[in-house]
Amino acid sequence: MELLVASATVLGVAILAVVVLRSESHQRNKKFEAVFSGREQLSIDQFYERYFKARGIPLHVVSGVRKIVEEQLLADMSRLTDTDDFSKNLNFFFDFDSMVDVEIVCALEKEFGIEISDEEAINTKTINDMMQLVCRKLEVKDAA
């Protein structure tokens, strides 16, 4: 009898977890669509050409940063712009994973072999800021 009660409890908890995760996923998708609705999807080459080529940021930086953002946020970032801001329109991602900002910084450091201070991370708000920061860090690294 105890085994049956324990099994039913575990099953109930599992069902509840699935319901909560589906609800969070639905809320996340709604917020995602609200931010990116009506935007054109851009390939990595189009994204680079439109926002970063004229600024002299290398394609591998743009490609690497966007890949990391996609992987860490678990989202298709093909409708991202250079002015998207983690303190404004993208801040909803933190509602679902409060550590995602730390994970992005760690992934950037690992991918590019750079170190990002807490102050630099705090002051990096937009996608453009992120690209500029990585580019500057790589220039310093290459000059050393």
PDB file of all heavy atoms in Angstrom, residues 24-48:
ATOM      1  N   GLU A  24       5.173  27.888 -18.463  1.00  0.00           N
ATOM      2  CA  GLU A  24       6.312  28.808 -18.591  1.00  0.00           C
ATOM      3  C   GLU A  24       6.752  28.922 -20.035  1.00  0.00           C
ATOM      4  O   GLU A  24       7.049  30.011 -20.514  1.00  0.00           O
ATOM      5  CB  GLU A  24       7.478  28.348 -17.715  1.00  0.00           C
ATOM      6  CG  GLU A  24       7.285  28.630 -16.255  1.00  0.00           C
ATOM      7  CD  GLU A  24       8.477  28.201 -15.417  1.00  0.00           C
ATOM      8  OE1 GLU A  24       9.464  27.653 -15.968  1.00  0.00           O
ATOM      9  OE2 GLU A  24       8.433  28.417 -14.197  1.00  0.00           O
ATOM     10  N   SER A  25       6.803  27.799 -20.730  1.00  0.00           N
ATOM     11  CA  SER A  25       7.206  27.808 -22.137  1.00  0.00           C
ATOM     12  C   SER A  25       6.227  28.626 -22.973  1.00  0.00           C
ATOM     13  O   SER A  25       6.634  29.409 -23.835  1.00  0.00           O
ATOM     14  CB  SER A  25       7.283  26.374 -22.656  1.00  0.00           C
ATOM     15  OG  SER A  25       7.620  26.356 -24.011  1.00  0.00           O
ATOM     16  N   HIS A  26       4.945  28.461 -22.701  1.00  0.00           N
ATOM     17  CA  HIS A  26       3.925  29.225 -23.424  1.00  0.00           C
ATOM     18  C   HIS A  26       4.080  30.723 -23.155  1.00  0.00           C
ATOM     19  O   HIS A  26       4.034  31.540 -24.087  1.00  0.00           O
ATOM     20  CB  HIS A  26       2.528  28.748 -23.019  1.00  0.00           C
ATOM     21  CG  HIS A  26       1.426  29.516 -23.660  1.00  0.00           C
ATOM     22  ND1 HIS A  26       1.122  29.394 -25.006  1.00  0.00           N
ATOM     23  CD2 HIS A  26       0.567  30.436 -23.156  1.00  0.00           C
ATOM     24  CE1 HIS A  26       0.123  30.214 -25.297  1.00  0.00           C
ATOM     25  NE2 HIS A  26      -0.238  30.850 -24.189  1.00  0.00           N
ATOM     26  N   GLN A  27       4.291  31.094 -21.887  1.00  0.00           N
ATOM     27  CA  GLN A  27       4.472  32.504 -21.531  1.00  0.00           C
ATOM     28  C   GLN A  27       5.726  33.068 -22.202  1.00  0.00           C
ATOM     29  O   GLN A  27       5.721  34.186 -22.710  1.00  0.00           O
ATOM     30  CB  GLN A  27       4.577  32.662 -20.018  1.00  0.00           C
ATOM     31  CG  GLN A  27       3.290  32.422 -19.296  1.00  0.00           C
ATOM     32  CD  GLN A  27       3.491  32.413 -17.784  1.00  0.00           C
ATOM     33  OE1 GLN A  27       4.609  32.354 -17.284  1.00  0.00           O
ATOM     34  NE2 GLN A  27       2.389  32.484 -17.059  1.00  0.00           N
ATOM     35  N   ARG A  28       6.791  32.301 -22.195  1.00  0.00           N
ATOM     36  CA  ARG A  28       8.055  32.728 -22.811  1.00  0.00           C
ATOM     37  C   ARG A  28       7.857  32.945 -24.309  1.00  0.00           C
ATOM     38  O   ARG A  28       8.297  33.939 -24.867  1.00  0.00           O
ATOM     39  CB  ARG A  28       9.122  31.676 -22.549  1.00  0.00           C
ATOM     40  CG  ARG A  28      10.496  32.044 -23.024  1.00  0.00           C
ATOM     41  CD  ARG A  28      11.468  30.923 -22.609  1.00  0.00           C
ATOM     42  NE  ARG A  28      12.817  31.206 -22.973  1.00  0.00           N
ATOM     43  CZ  ARG A  28      13.349  30.899 -24.158  1.00  0.00           C
ATOM     44  NH1 ARG A  28      12.639  30.285 -25.060  1.00  0.00           N
ATOM     45  NH2 ARG A  28      14.601  31.198 -24.415  1.00  0.00           N
ATOM     46  N   ASN A  29       7.180  32.009 -24.964  1.00  0.00           N
ATOM     47  CA  ASN A  29       6.935  32.134 -26.403  1.00  0.00           C
ATOM     48  C   ASN A  29       6.073  33.338 -26.730  1.00  0.00           C
ATOM     49  O   ASN A  29       6.295  34.016 -27.734  1.00  0.00           O
ATOM     50  CB  ASN A  29       6.298  30.851 -26.953  1.00  0.00           C
ATOM     51  CG  ASN A  29       7.266  29.692 -26.991  1.00  0.00           C
ATOM     52  OD1 ASN A  29       8.486  29.869 -26.934  1.00  0.00           O
ATOM     53  ND2 ASN A  29       6.740  28.490 -27.055  1.00  0.00           N
ATOM     54  N   LYS A  30       5.086  33.627 -25.878  1.00  0.00           N
ATOM     55  CA  LYS A  30       4.237  34.807 -26.083  1.00  0.00           C
ATOM     56  C   LYS A  30       5.058  36.095 -25.993  1.00  0.00           C
ATOM     57  O   LYS A  30       4.928  36.987 -26.828  1.00  0.00           O
ATOM     58  CB  LYS A  30       3.115  34.844 -25.035  1.00  0.00           C
ATOM     59  CG  LYS A  30       1.800  34.306 -25.513  1.00  0.00           C
ATOM     60  CD  LYS A  30       0.754  34.340 -24.424  1.00  0.00           C
ATOM     61  CE  LYS A  30       0.132  35.709 -24.321  1.00  0.00           C
ATOM     62  NZ  LYS A  30      -1.036  35.733 -23.409  1.00  0.00           N
ATOM     63  N   LYS A  31       5.897  36.183 -24.982  1.00  0.00           N
ATOM     64  CA  LYS A  31       6.733  37.375 -24.821  1.00  0.00           C
ATOM     65  C   LYS A  31       7.737  37.481 -25.965  1.00  0.00           C
ATOM     66  O   LYS A  31       7.982  38.575 -26.478  1.00  0.00           O
ATOM     67  CB  LYS A  31       7.444  37.346 -23.472  1.00  0.00           C
ATOM     68  CG  LYS A  31       6.500  37.579 -22.321  1.00  0.00           C
ATOM     69  CD  LYS A  31       7.202  37.593 -20.996  1.00  0.00           C
ATOM     70  CE  LYS A  31       6.196  37.849 -19.883  1.00  0.00           C
ATOM     71  NZ  LYS A  31       6.837  38.021 -18.584  1.00  0.00           N
ATOM     72  N   PHE A  32       8.299  36.358 -26.369  1.00  0.00           N
ATOM     73  CA  PHE A  32       9.249  36.338 -27.480  1.00  0.00           C
ATOM     74  C   PHE A  32       8.588  36.880 -28.741  1.00  0.00           C
ATOM     75  O   PHE A  32       9.139  37.742 -29.421  1.00  0.00           O
ATOM     76  CB  PHE A  32       9.755  34.912 -27.696  1.00  0.00           C
ATOM     77  CG  PHE A  32      10.773  34.790 -28.792  1.00  0.00           C
ATOM     78  CD1 PHE A  32      12.122  34.990 -28.534  1.00  0.00           C
ATOM     79  CD2 PHE A  32      10.391  34.484 -30.087  1.00  0.00           C
ATOM     80  CE1 PHE A  32      13.065  34.879 -29.543  1.00  0.00           C
ATOM     81  CE2 PHE A  32      11.326  34.373 -31.095  1.00  0.00           C
ATOM     82  CZ  PHE A  32      12.667  34.573 -30.829  1.00  0.00           C
ATOM     83  N   GLU A  33       7.412  36.381 -29.047  1.00  0.00           N
ATOM     84  CA  GLU A  33       6.706  36.829 -30.247  1.00  0.00           C
ATOM     85  C   GLU A  33       6.314  38.301 -30.157  1.00  0.00           C
ATOM     86  O   GLU A  33       6.328  39.005 -31.162  1.00  0.00           O
ATOM     87  CB  GLU A  33       5.484  35.954 -30.529  1.00  0.00           C
ATOM     88  CG  GLU A  33       5.812  34.693 -31.273  1.00  0.00           C
ATOM     89  CD  GLU A  33       6.608  34.920 -32.558  1.00  0.00           C
ATOM     90  OE1 GLU A  33       6.253  35.793 -33.379  1.00  0.00           O
ATOM     91  OE2 GLU A  33       7.608  34.201 -32.744  1.00  0.00           O
ATOM     92  N   ALA A  34       5.971  38.771 -28.980  1.00  0.00           N
ATOM     93  CA  ALA A  34       5.626  40.185 -28.821  1.00  0.00           C
ATOM     94  C   ALA A  34       6.821  41.073 -29.157  1.00  0.00           C
ATOM     95  O   ALA A  34       6.665  42.129 -29.777  1.00  0.00           O
ATOM     96  CB  ALA A  34       5.143  40.461 -27.398  1.00  0.00           C
ATOM     97  N   VAL A  35       8.012  40.654 -28.784  1.00  0.00           N
ATOM     98  CA  VAL A  35       9.223  41.438 -29.049  1.00  0.00           C
ATOM     99  C   VAL A  35       9.618  41.358 -30.523  1.00  0.00           C
ATOM    100  O   VAL A  35       9.961  42.362 -31.143  1.00  0.00           O
ATOM    101  CB  VAL A  35      10.396  40.962 -28.154  1.00  0.00           C
ATOM    102  CG1 VAL A  35      11.720  41.562 -28.610  1.00  0.00           C
ATOM    103  CG2 VAL A  35      10.133  41.311 -26.702  1.00  0.00           C
ATOM    104  N   PHE A  36       9.567  40.164 -31.093  1.00  0.00           N
ATOM    105  CA  PHE A  36      10.112  39.957 -32.429  1.00  0.00           C
ATOM    106  C   PHE A  36       9.068  39.968 -33.547  1.00  0.00           C
ATOM    107  O   PHE A  36       9.426  39.846 -34.717  1.00  0.00           O
ATOM    108  CB  PHE A  36      10.909  38.654 -32.473  1.00  0.00           C
ATOM    109  CG  PHE A  36      12.158  38.710 -31.649  1.00  0.00           C
ATOM    110  CD1 PHE A  36      12.218  38.091 -30.410  1.00  0.00           C
ATOM    111  CD2 PHE A  36      13.270  39.395 -32.096  1.00  0.00           C
ATOM    112  CE1 PHE A  36      13.376  38.150 -29.639  1.00  0.00           C
ATOM    113  CE2 PHE A  36      14.424  39.466 -31.340  1.00  0.00           C
ATOM    114  CZ  PHE A  36      14.476  38.837 -30.105  1.00  0.00           C
ATOM    115  N   SER A  37       7.819  40.165 -33.214  1.00  0.00           N
ATOM    116  CA  SER A  37       6.742  40.170 -34.200  1.00  0.00           C
ATOM    117  C   SER A  37       6.985  41.220 -35.283  1.00  0.00           C
ATOM    118  O   SER A  37       7.343  42.362 -34.988  1.00  0.00           O
ATOM    119  CB  SER A  37       5.419  40.447 -33.505  1.00  0.00           C
ATOM    120  OG  SER A  37       4.385  40.495 -34.448  1.00  0.00           O
ATOM    121  N   GLY A  38       6.788  40.826 -36.522  1.00  0.00           N
ATOM    122  CA  GLY A  38       6.905  41.747 -37.646  1.00  0.00           C
ATOM    123  C   GLY A  38       8.328  42.006 -38.110  1.00  0.00           C
ATOM    124  O   GLY A  38       8.542  42.743 -39.070  1.00  0.00           O
ATOM    125  N   ARG A  39       9.286  41.427 -37.450  1.00  0.00           N
ATOM    126  CA  ARG A  39      10.684  41.626 -37.862  1.00  0.00           C
ATOM    127  C   ARG A  39      11.091  40.611 -38.915  1.00  0.00           C
ATOM    128  O   ARG A  39      10.659  39.464 -38.883  1.00  0.00           O
ATOM    129  CB  ARG A  39      11.624  41.466 -36.676  1.00  0.00           C
ATOM    130  CG  ARG A  39      11.529  42.556 -35.649  1.00  0.00           C
ATOM    131  CD  ARG A  39      12.667  42.404 -34.695  1.00  0.00           C
ATOM    132  NE  ARG A  39      12.591  43.317 -33.575  1.00  0.00           N
ATOM    133  CZ  ARG A  39      13.522  43.386 -32.643  1.00  0.00           C
ATOM    134  NH1 ARG A  39      14.575  42.593 -32.702  1.00  0.00           N
ATOM    135  NH2 ARG A  39      13.400  44.229 -31.644  1.00  0.00           N
ATOM    136  N   GLU A  40      11.947  41.061 -39.784  1.00  0.00           N
ATOM    137  CA  GLU A  40      12.482  40.209 -40.837  1.00  0.00           C
ATOM    138  C   GLU A  40      13.509  39.243 -40.256  1.00  0.00           C
ATOM    139  O   GLU A  40      14.341  39.607 -39.429  1.00  0.00           O
ATOM    140  CB  GLU A  40      13.151  41.120 -41.875  1.00  0.00           C
ATOM    141  CG  GLU A  40      13.865  40.423 -42.980  1.00  0.00           C
ATOM    142  CD  GLU A  40      14.604  41.394 -43.891  1.00  0.00           C
ATOM    143  OE1 GLU A  40      14.747  42.581 -43.551  1.00  0.00           O
ATOM    144  OE2 GLU A  40      15.057  40.932 -44.951  1.00  0.00           O
ATOM    145  N   GLN A  41      13.451  37.990 -40.706  1.00  0.00           N
ATOM    146  CA  GLN A  41      14.472  37.021 -40.326  1.00  0.00           C
ATOM    147  C   GLN A  41      15.719  37.288 -41.163  1.00  0.00           C
ATOM    148  O   GLN A  41      15.625  37.489 -42.374  1.00  0.00           O
ATOM    149  CB  GLN A  41      14.002  35.596 -40.571  1.00  0.00           C
ATOM    150  CG  GLN A  41      12.970  35.128 -39.578  1.00  0.00           C
ATOM    151  CD  GLN A  41      12.651  33.665 -39.746  1.00  0.00           C
ATOM    152  OE1 GLN A  41      12.487  33.177 -40.855  1.00  0.00           O
ATOM    153  NE2 GLN A  41      12.550  32.965 -38.636  1.00  0.00           N
ATOM    154  N   LEU A  42      16.868  37.301 -40.501  1.00  0.00           N
ATOM    155  CA  LEU A  42      18.130  37.553 -41.180  1.00  0.00           C
ATOM    156  C   LEU A  42      19.073  36.380 -41.004  1.00  0.00           C
ATOM    157  O   LEU A  42      19.252  35.898 -39.872  1.00  0.00           O
ATOM    158  CB  LEU A  42      18.799  38.813 -40.612  1.00  0.00           C
ATOM    159  CG  LEU A  42      18.036  40.130 -40.705  1.00  0.00           C
ATOM    160  CD1 LEU A  42      18.794  41.234 -39.977  1.00  0.00           C
ATOM    161  CD2 LEU A  42      17.791  40.507 -42.151  1.00  0.00           C
ATOM    162  N   SER A  43      19.685  35.960 -42.107  1.00  0.00           N
ATOM    163  CA  SER A  43      20.747  34.966 -41.997  1.00  0.00           C
ATOM    164  C   SER A  43      21.909  35.640 -41.266  1.00  0.00           C
ATOM    165  O   SER A  43      21.935  36.870 -41.119  1.00  0.00           O
ATOM    166  CB  SER A  43      21.200  34.512 -43.386  1.00  0.00           C
ATOM    167  OG  SER A  43      21.883  35.580 -44.040  1.00  0.00           O
ATOM    168  N   ILE A  44      22.877  34.873 -40.845  1.00  0.00           N
ATOM    169  CA  ILE A  44      24.016  35.467 -40.154  1.00  0.00           C
ATOM    170  C   ILE A  44      24.739  36.458 -41.070  1.00  0.00           C
ATOM    171  O   ILE A  44      25.192  37.514 -40.616  1.00  0.00           O
ATOM    172  CB  ILE A  44      24.972  34.396 -39.577  1.00  0.00           C
ATOM    173  CG1 ILE A  44      25.968  35.028 -38.606  1.00  0.00           C
ATOM    174  CG2 ILE A  44      25.676  33.635 -40.675  1.00  0.00           C
ATOM    175  CD1 ILE A  44      25.363  35.692 -37.408  1.00  0.00           C
ATOM    176  N   ASP A  45      24.832  36.153 -42.359  1.00  0.00           N
ATOM    177  CA  ASP A  45      25.488  37.070 -43.304  1.00  0.00           C
ATOM    178  C   ASP A  45      24.706  38.377 -43.442  1.00  0.00           C
ATOM    179  O   ASP A  45      25.297  39.459 -43.476  1.00  0.00           O
ATOM    180  CB  ASP A  45      25.676  36.407 -44.673  1.00  0.00           C
ATOM    181  CG  ASP A  45      26.705  35.295 -44.640  1.00  0.00           C
ATOM    182  OD1 ASP A  45      27.664  35.376 -43.834  1.00  0.00           O
ATOM    183  OD2 ASP A  45      26.552  34.325 -45.411  1.00  0.00           O
ATOM    184  N   GLN A  46      23.384  38.286 -43.522  1.00  0.00           N
ATOM    185  CA  GLN A  46      22.555  39.492 -43.621  1.00  0.00           C
ATOM    186  C   GLN A  46      22.648  40.319 -42.339  1.00  0.00           C
ATOM    187  O   GLN A  46      22.741  41.540 -42.393  1.00  0.00           O
ATOM    188  CB  GLN A  46      21.094  39.107 -43.872  1.00  0.00           C
ATOM    189  CG  GLN A  46      20.844  38.506 -45.237  1.00  0.00           C
ATOM    190  CD  GLN A  46      19.456  37.901 -45.332  1.00  0.00           C
ATOM    191  OE1 GLN A  46      18.986  37.231 -44.405  1.00  0.00           O
ATOM    192  NE2 GLN A  46      18.796  38.137 -46.468  1.00  0.00           N
ATOM    193  N   PHE A  47      22.628  39.654 -41.199  1.00  0.00           N
ATOM    194  CA  PHE A  47      22.756  40.314 -39.901  1.00  0.00           C
ATOM    195  C   PHE A  47      24.080  41.062 -39.823  1.00  0.00           C
ATOM    196  O   PHE A  47      24.132  42.231 -39.434  1.00  0.00           O
ATOM    197  CB  PHE A  47      22.655  39.232 -38.810  1.00  0.00           C
ATOM    198  CG  PHE A  47      22.721  39.725 -37.396  1.00  0.00           C
ATOM    199  CD1 PHE A  47      21.727  40.518 -36.867  1.00  0.00           C
ATOM    200  CD2 PHE A  47      23.775  39.333 -36.580  1.00  0.00           C
ATOM    201  CE1 PHE A  47      21.776  40.935 -35.532  1.00  0.00           C
ATOM    202  CE2 PHE A  47      23.835  39.747 -35.263  1.00  0.00           C
ATOM    203  CZ  PHE A  47      22.838  40.550 -34.735  1.00  0.00           C
ATOM    204  N   TYR A  48      25.137  40.403 -40.235  1.00  0.00           N
ATOM    205  CA  TYR A  48      26.471  41.005 -40.249  1.00  0.00           C
ATOM    206  C   TYR A  48      26.518  42.213 -41.188  1.00  0.00           C
ATOM    207  O   TYR A  48      26.968  43.297 -40.804  1.00  0.00           O
ATOM    208  CB  TYR A  48      27.496  39.953 -40.674  1.00  0.00           C
ATOM    209  CG  TYR A  48      28.861  40.509 -40.961  1.00  0.00           C
ATOM    210  CD1 TYR A  48      29.667  40.968 -39.920  1.00  0.00           C
ATOM    211  CD2 TYR A  48      29.353  40.570 -42.260  1.00  0.00           C
ATOM    212  CE1 TYR A  48      30.934  41.480 -40.174  1.00  0.00           C
ATOM    213  CE2 TYR A  48      30.613  41.082 -42.522  1.00  0.00           C
ATOM    214  CZ  TYR A  48      31.400  41.539 -41.478  1.00  0.00           C
ATOM    215  OH  TYR A  48      32.636  42.050 -41.729  1.00  0.00           O
TER     216      TYR A  48
END
